[in-house]
Amino acid sequence: MASDAPIPAAPSERVGAASFFAAPLAVLMRLIDWPMQVLQRLIGERRMAYVFLLPNLVFFSLFVFLPLIINFIFSVTGGAGLFPSERPYVGAQQYAYLFDCGSFLDPSSCREDHFWRGVSNTARFTVFQVTAMVLFSLLTAVVLNMKIKARGFFRAVYFFPVLLSPVVVALTWKWILQRDGLLNAAITSLGGERILFLVDPSWAMFWIVFVSIWAHMGFYTLILLAGLQAIPADLYEAAEMDATPRWRVFWRITLPLLWPNMIVVIVLALIRGVQTFDEVFVLTGGGPGTATLMVVHYIYETAFANQVQNFGLAAAASVVLGVVLFALTLAQLAASRRKGAA
Amino acid sequence: MNRLARMAVARRNLGRWHWTDIAAYAYLALGVVLMFGPVLWLGISSFKTQAGLLEFPPSLLPMSQKEGRVEGHAQPLPLFEVTMEDGSKRVLAQVRRIGIQAQMVDPANPGQSIRVPIDKRTPVREFKLATENYTEPLERFAFMRFLWNSVFVTAVATLITLVINSMAAYALSIYEFRGKTAVMLMVIGTLMIPITIILVPVYLVITELGLVNSLWAVILPGAATPTGVFLLRQYMLTLPRDLIEAARMDKASEWQIYWRIVMPLAMPALAVLAIFSIMWRWNEFLWPLAVLTKTEAYTLQIGLNAFQGELQTQWHYLLAMTVVTLLPVALVFVFLQRFITTGIANTGMK
């Protein structure tokens, strides 16, 4: 990603937040100092690199690599046990079960219809959400890049929901969208009928897309804004000299030069879209019925929330999800390489 | 005021308004309403009484019916403004309602009971902040416990994240060693592995370690973040190498160089990572939801979610606790807003 950009040195007074951690850190470091010196005398200066890497690698292997392997083992074993030794090998049975469908276009014809509901909902959600997200964050970034007054304030306005937790976001909107909520009050005062926004399936889908855009748009806007600011000003000055119409400047200069950032935004939004869970879970609980049930929600329920915990099936579904995310990550890597070249 | 007025009419070319300027300000105005509005509404609503919350259409400010003590009645009685038969208006207290009639008394003259048709009375309302929405759940429910759990998880996890990731970043930026490329590839490779796809096996690892329902189950799995390693390493690469050489000349140990020289110099990057870690940990939901099943171990987010399932009708508590949950993040934002946004724009991480 854009991680190779150098991090600007922060003005020193802003580092205050970190000093909260500095004191306990210093004590810890002093305690470790002596054993570390002994160790260095034993293995030499250069091999200390491995010592520095060790804690991180332990965490990495314990909570990322090992789980990746176990996940695969889970997905090819059956039974109700949590420990691999208690689980009989069943081959591709879990996958076959997931993919046992009359027609792949109709989730209700599948044996594991909730999985396919989740897939279909997630796909629809992702398509709508990414399209709208890209359009709105582009619009917002362009507006925020104009010579408007109080730019910092407006940027903060669009950004702050990014910091809110999914539970807070969902509860805020639930409060507004409920039957006696603010939105229905506005509708009835204009002479309309109350709408049960979270009970009507198509409205529920609309609102989870809307709320998700509301919560995350600021993040993508910021990436696009950084891209817009990297466009050399003299290009615009030249265009102004030639009295080029603004829409043309946008089509011919802004959009092509912003394209690498656009790709990053699209791919990141896709990856996030596929993984959507938190907000939807709290806002609609996957309902009404299964109208907003997402794939991750299905995995969570299958593994943890259902009466019969089916770890194998959940793991198989995770592998399927993982393959999709892997493809999207490859797309992202390709995109960022092109960005580097541009 | 003057500045505000000038700010409101600022435009690109003095004296000429392009339609895009007007459209831009209209869009920004809409944005302020749409982005701030919901949270503001949540905040206002959290100060309404239970009865006030059930009103439809809702009132803008937290208003509640005024109550008055009347001699001879143990409980305070609700006050109404009543239009009398002769057209005059009086403030009366309602004793009880019988069908379409209300039995009322004049607080000044409590002996005499007056019957009033209910459509002739309107409640007397006053501005009142229902602060009990905040104080009661803190006493009656385990919210203090959840709050403490969240603070503990956030602080300890951030501390561990900072230490182990900066150590790895130090190794990867300062030393040349065998296997360095492999480690770097590994870091980049896992950059995009989300917890969602290894939910089940991480749960197994946590079970094996005997940590289910302990806060460490939430803290440990996310501690080694490839993003953090990457961010810190990129920053440490820019530090002058001479400084480290000079320290080695002075017989400083590698560990001392790490925490006495490199760590202080990497403070800006560490601060960015600290802020992100705080944000991630405070808001984390799916993993704690899966691994914490005992109420005592709930974090604030999980507690709030459980709370909303159980007490769907008790919005007055729910809203107040939502505000409590968002407050720390809101404060962090107010103080570090510019820093956070440039941090995200430059590193593209969240």
Side-chain angles (χ1 to χ4, degrees):
Chain A
M1 254 178 57
S3 308
D4 46 353
I7 299 127
S12 53
E13 81 269 17
R14 297 207 180 273
V15 183
S19 65
F20 172 68
F21 293 102
L25 268 179
V27 175
L28 185 71
M29 297 296 168
R30 202 180 287 276
L31 284 174
I32 301 173
D33 194 18
W34 185 74
M36 279 293 185
Q37 285 192 34
V38 175
L39 200 63
Q40 188 181 337
R41 228 165 288 147
L42 284 173
I43 64 171
E45 183 182 293
R46 274 185 50 234
R47 287 205 199 92
M48 282 301 284
Y50 298 110
V51 177
F52 281 104
L53 268 180
L54 191 70
N56 205 300
L57 287 188
V58 169
F59 276 79
F60 250 14
S61 20
L62 213 51
F63 297 113
V64 180
F65 284 120
L66 189 63
L68 276 176
I69 298 163
I70 301 175
N71 197 48
F72 186 73
I73 297 174
F74 265 120
S75 75
V76 292
T77 53
L82 179 60
F83 302 100
S85 53
E86 308 165 0
R87 302 178 59 83
Y89 178 76
V90 295
Q93 218 172 40
Q94 306 282 14
Y95 295 95
Y97 188 74
L98 278 182
F99 283 88
D100 186 3
C101 271
S103 154
F104 282 108
L105 293 175
D106 178 16
S108 53
S109 73
C110 298
R111 252 178 95 182
E112 195 58 12
D113 58 334
H114 276 201
F115 173 71
W116 288 99
R117 270 299 156 214
V119 170
S120 128
N121 286 338
T122 307
R124 260 188 311 147
F125 171 86
T126 308
V127 169
F128 291 142
Q129 199 242 23
V130 171
T131 315
M133 180 88 86
V134 169
L135 288 179
F136 278 110
S137 43
L138 178 64
L139 177 63
T140 313
V142 168
V143 171
L144 290 178
N145 198 39
M146 288 169 73
K147 282 177 194 148
I148 45 169
K149 289 282 174 161
R151 226 168 6 174
F153 168 73
F154 286 117
R155 281 179 195 173
V157 165
Y158 284 93
F159 180 76
F160 94 97
V162 173
L163 300 176
L164 300 180
S165 82
V167 183
V168 166
V169 168
L171 285 177
T172 306
W173 282 97
K174 206 171 181 173
W175 174 237
I176 287 172
L177 297 175
Q178 54 143 346
R179 188 173 174 279
D180 296 331
L182 188 61
L183 194 63
N184 269 327
I187 289 173
T188 47
S189 76
L190 294 173
E193 285 283 309
R194 282 194 226 192
I195 303 171
L196 298 171
F197 289 114
L198 299 174
V199 177
D200 179 316
S202 39
W203 272 114
M205 185 50 102
F206 169 82
W207 283 113
I208 59 169
V209 171
F210 178 90
V211 169
S212 160
I213 292 171
W214 183 85
H216 301 294
M217 190 176 85
F219 174 66
Y220 300 102
T221 301
L222 216 59
I223 298 180
L224 292 181
L225 198 56
L228 284 175
Q229 294 190 330
I231 299 175
D234 47 350
L235 285 177
Y236 289 113
E237 278 160 23
E240 204 168 328
M241 294 271 233
D242 299 341
T244 320
R246 279 191 193 183
W247 59 269
R248 200 154 175 195
V249 174
F250 179 76
W251 264 147
R252 292 285 167 81
I253 300 174
T254 310
L255 212 52
L257 289 174
L258 194 61
W259 199 240
N261 290 59
M262 289 283 281
I263 292 175
V264 169
V265 165
I266 292 169
V267 177
L268 282 183
L270 276 174
I271 292 174
R272 192 206 289 280
V274 174
Q275 289 188 59
T276 295
F277 168 75
D278 309 8
E279 279 120 339
V280 181
F281 180 76
V282 182
L283 192 58
T284 68
T290 53
T292 56
L293 184 86
M294 298 285 148
V295 173
V296 175
H297 189 168
Y298 167 83
I299 295 173
Y300 165 73
E301 288 220 319
T302 310
F304 300 104
N306 280 354
Q307 291 268 297
V308 182
Q309 302 191 326
N310 195 336
F311 295 116
L313 204 56
S318 306
V319 172
V320 175
L321 180 67
V323 169
V324 173
L325 289 173
F326 183 68
L328 292 174
T329 309
L330 284 188
Q332 141 125 38
L333 282 179
S336 55
R337 191 164 303 147
R338 262 181 63 185
K339 186 191 172 193
Chain B
M1 228 35 236
N2 198 10
R3 269 190 62 198
L4 217 67
R6 256 189 291 136
M7 188 195 293
V9 298
R11 71 213 99 138
R12 201 170 308 233
N13 305 315
L14 224 66
R16 258 184 300 152
W17 275 84
H18 193 274
W19 69 267
T20 51
D21 295 310
I22 300 166
Y25 279 106
Y27 182 76
L28 291 174
L30 181 74
V32 172
V33 174
L34 217 55
M35 303 312 268
F36 272 153
V39 177
L40 199 65
W41 180 243
L42 180 88
I44 295 173
S45 301
S46 74
F47 284 104
K48 291 180 180 172
T49 57
Q50 194 168 13
L53 283 176
L54 292 176
E55 259 171 47
F56 189 87
S59 62
L60 183 63
L61 290 173
M63 303 293 267
S64 65
Q65 184 161 19
K66 206 167 170 174
E67 295 183 324
R69 286 209 166 271
V70 179
E71 226 176 285
H73 296 274
Q75 297 291 320
L77 299 177
L79 296 178
F80 287 86
E81 190 180 59
V82 180
T83 313
M84 304 306 285
E85 273 161 37
D86 58 357
S88 68
K89 293 192 172 180
R90 287 170 74 183
V91 174
L92 298 178
Q94 175 174 296
V95 179
R96 66 176 69 84
R97 194 185 138 182
I98 312 141
I100 56 162
Q101 296 279 318
Q103 186 194 341
M104 309 189 89
V105 289
D106 191 335
N109 183 14
Q112 184 196 4
S113 161
I114 310 165
R115 276 179 175 266
V116 180
I118 54 164
D119 55 340
K120 291 281 188 243
R121 37 158 231 174
T122 45
V124 177
R125 288 150 65 86
E126 63 178 348
F127 178 79
K128 181 176 169 277
L129 294 179
T131 45
E132 64 271 16
N133 291 351
Y134 285 85
T135 51
E136 279 171 20
L138 291 181
E139 291 160 14
R140 280 176 47 191
F141 306 99
F143 257 96
M144 272 319 211
R145 177 88 219 175
F146 302 160
L147 186 67
W148 162 250
N149 287 348
S150 267
V151 169
F152 181 80
V153 165
T154 305
V156 175
T158 300
L159 202 64
I160 297 178
T161 298
L162 288 181
V163 171
I164 66 172
N165 289 335
S166 65
M167 280 170 71
Y170 175 69
L172 289 170
S173 60
I174 305 296
Y175 297 95
E176 288 303 326
F177 58 93
R178 190 180 299 206
K180 186 175 171 177
T181 325
V183 174
M184 276 309 291
L185 275 177
M186 207 171 70
V187 170
I188 297 169
T190 49
L191 209 56
M192 300 305 288
I193 294 177
I195 187 117
T196 36
I197 67 165
I198 47 174
L199 209 59
V200 180
V202 174
Y203 185 77
L204 171 71
V205 172
I206 289 295
T207 313
E208 282 281 277
L209 293 173
L211 293 176
V212 171
N213 275 321
S214 123
L215 292 178
W216 293 103
V218 182
I219 293 170
L220 298 180
T225 69
T227 334
V229 175
F230 216 83
L231 178 84
L232 295 176
R233 175 182 174 265
Q234 294 307 108
Y235 193 83
M236 286 177 185
L237 283 176
T238 65
L239 301 178
R241 224 30 95 79
D242 306 349
L243 221 61
I244 292 158
E245 290 307 323
R248 280 192 185 136
M249 296 283 210
D250 292 342
K251 295 267 192 277
S253 74
E254 295 304 301
W255 183 253
Q256 281 166 346
I257 294 174
Y258 158 70
W259 76 272
R260 284 247 172 96
I261 296 171
V262 174
M263 285 289 266
L265 287 176
M267 230 5 141
L270 286 170
V272 171
L273 183 60
I275 289 169
F276 279 104
S277 174
I278 291 170
M279 216 167 90
W280 291 331
R281 294 324 190 100
W282 187 264
N283 292 340
E284 203 177 14
F285 183 68
L286 175 58
W287 176 242
L289 185 68
V291 83
L292 302 177
T293 53
K294 277 203 189 127
T295 319
E296 310 90 88
Y298 279 2
T299 59
L300 207 46
Q301 311 290 346
I302 307 303
L304 194 59
N305 179 58
F307 202 54
Q308 73 118 0
E310 277 168 38
L311 304 169
Q312 198 67 275
T313 49
Q314 306 216 22
W315 271 104
H316 59 306
Y317 290 151
L318 193 54
L319 292 179
M321 292 308 100
T322 310
V323 172
V324 170
T325 309
L326 77 81
L327 220 52
V329 177
L331 287 179
V332 168
F333 181 65
V334 168
F335 289 113
L336 301 171
Q337 182 262 118
R338 192 178 298 165
F339 192 37
I340 293 173
T341 49
T342 51
I344 288 187
N346 285 309
T347 60
M349 72 188 233
K350 198 220 153 182

